[in-house]
Amino acid sequence: MAGQIPQRFIDDLLGRVDVVEVVGERVQLKKAGRNFSGLCPFHQEKTPSFTVSADKQFYHCFGCGAHGNALRFLMEYDKLPFPEAVEQLAGRLGLDVPREGADDPRAQQREKKRKEGVNLLEVAASFYRERLKMQEGQSAQRYLQGRGLSPEVIDTYGIGYAPGGWEALKQHLSAKGIGEPVQVEYGLLIHREDTGRTYDRFRDRVMFPIRDLRGRTLGFGGRVMGDEQPKYLNSPETPVFHKGRELYGLYEARQASSKLEQLVMVEGYMDVVALAQFGIHNAVATLGTATTEDHLSRLFRLVSRVVFCFDGDRAGRQAASRALETALPQMIDGREARFLFLPDGDDPDSLVRREGSEAFQDRVTCAMPLSEFLFEQAAQGRDLNTVEGRERFASQVLEALNKVPDGMLKSLLLESLAKRSGLAQSQLQTLLEKRTAAAQASPQWAPVDETAPEPMLAEQASSRPAARGRRQGTTLQTLSTVGRIVQLLLHEPRLVTALPETLDWLPDSSEEAPLCRELIALLRAGRYRSPQVVLAHFQGTEEGKLLSEIAAREPLLGREHRETELIDNINYLKAMKEKSQPHAEIDALTEQFSALVKKKESGQKLTAQERQKFMQMLASNKRM
């Protein structure tokens, strides 16, 4: 796209993204006082000298001198040109990158739309705060006073009031020149398809602004003051608001303390502000959804300990079980998760009012460690005095351990299981390895449709809508050449040392090429040798879902042949780029190899002649 990126857009973009998140997705960081530290990705070192400041939104290495903001990091780490780095940062927020140019009407329109969207939510938040203080907001004032909230807490969290009329906000924003389509796009208005009418989404509700880590309003949660339903109403998904990623109160928690050590995950907005009223400022809440990988990835980049707080009833226990499942793949060494169950009939709001902040803090301190909750869950309903009971107990724990990244925590959990089950730790280790191998070998994807046409080369498929759909969907049927390279590197991270120094063999048109580059950069920077730890770095992202799916598929050849297979794949891509073979010959060989791969992946055995042909293709570097 032609045209210069406006500086004001770059400044606003850097104000919205968090450098800790950007760096933390590529470098393993640990909390170190007010900052974060890790091994520098720009030079080899054994002792961390690389720091990232959340307050200054800046990284610096005291060893090699590398430094800069989130944009500079992407340019240096991912080797991206400036425009592509801006595009990547903007993509995290769902923003289109505007371009200046008097001769480009489309660029002017995009810039106009961006300006409207940037300020719209802040204007709406200000409107709600003002209406709370007016005569029409008295009912909301009484409600908040009845919940024991002080003016200081109300102000800190920016709580407001949405008037009961159908068009109060709509008229306010329209008077400021903000068009209705933009108001609909950002979730403030509802558009009725049948009548064409638009009206305020939030009416007669106490309003809680949901802010990003820089304090910018992304969306809203609205609570009724009576018994109407739904009790809580959240903004819909918008270009900047994603419920499965954002957390209410996270910005305020960081503002309250620059030395956060742990965060308490509660269920609702009122729980967060009620705890803050009693001096507990490290609570956050999901936005009407279960805890997601994105939530935990974000929290663990800020603190090393997360305490899940649930009601003590059956529903609370079920929610805790789901949170446990989500947390297990995130538990790399240095992270800690705990589970706090409240008395029946209580929520954090009611409990802190009855017992006080000190008693509530004591409950948080004594919360159940993840290990204890895991063993408690596995033992539930089983008689551990019987052989059968211990077998089922051990099987369930081993199934959970399959999801935990390799490291000290996993080893200690295995040791504890041995003591609780009476089995030798070596036996359990063997069983765990067998389970891991079985999980990798079993198909976790849709079966190949034998009636479907032969799969296209990734270079051909990447430009077609169907290929893009596969990338965004949940299943892969046949891996492309680049996909097979990613698969081999996931199963055998050590193979990164066998790659050429430069990556000019990667085709620009391949869908998996950016992911392959990112994976190679991670392996080279972190020297990881465990597939589980590699996957943990991508948890909670679309790339992570795709990598997990690829990792679940066992490579075609045994371990002793995988380096040869990797080099063959690379040589094939080089040949395609250099066109050292006639294109028709490459296509014919590709079709033959595709057919053999398809037959092998479907579970059918190759004939002796087909096996010989398969190995000849590998040996001659004529790979799909």
Side-chain angles (χ1 to χ4, degrees), residues 398-413:
L398 285 175
E399 183 178 348
L401 289 183
N402 235 352
K403 302 173 183 177
V404 178
D406 287 342
M408 191 174 297
L409 174 63
K410 189 171 187 175
S411 299
L412 291 173
L413 286 170

Side-chain angles (χ1 to χ4, degrees), residues 304-356:
S304 59
R305 185 189 307 119
V306 175
V307 180
F308 297 98
C309 182
F310 294 102
D311 295 345
D313 57 13
R314 182 177 179 181
R317 289 275 171 172
Q318 289 175 343
S321 296
R322 292 192 294 269
L324 174 65
E325 289 291 313
T326 306
L328 289 172
Q330 301 268 1
M331 301 311 297
I332 61 177
D333 289 346
R335 294 178 176 178
E336 182 182 358
R338 289 177 171 264
F339 294 81
L340 169 60
F341 296 100
L342 305 181
D344 286 346
D346 270 316
D347 56 26
D349 185 2
S350 62
L351 189 62
V352 75
R353 295 180 194 283
R354 191 175 74 249
E355 292 187 348

Side-chain angles (χ1 to χ4, degrees), residues 78 96 299 392 398 426 521 568:
D78 290 353
D96 291 328
L299 293 180
R392 290 169 186 161
L398 285 175
S426 57
D568 287 343

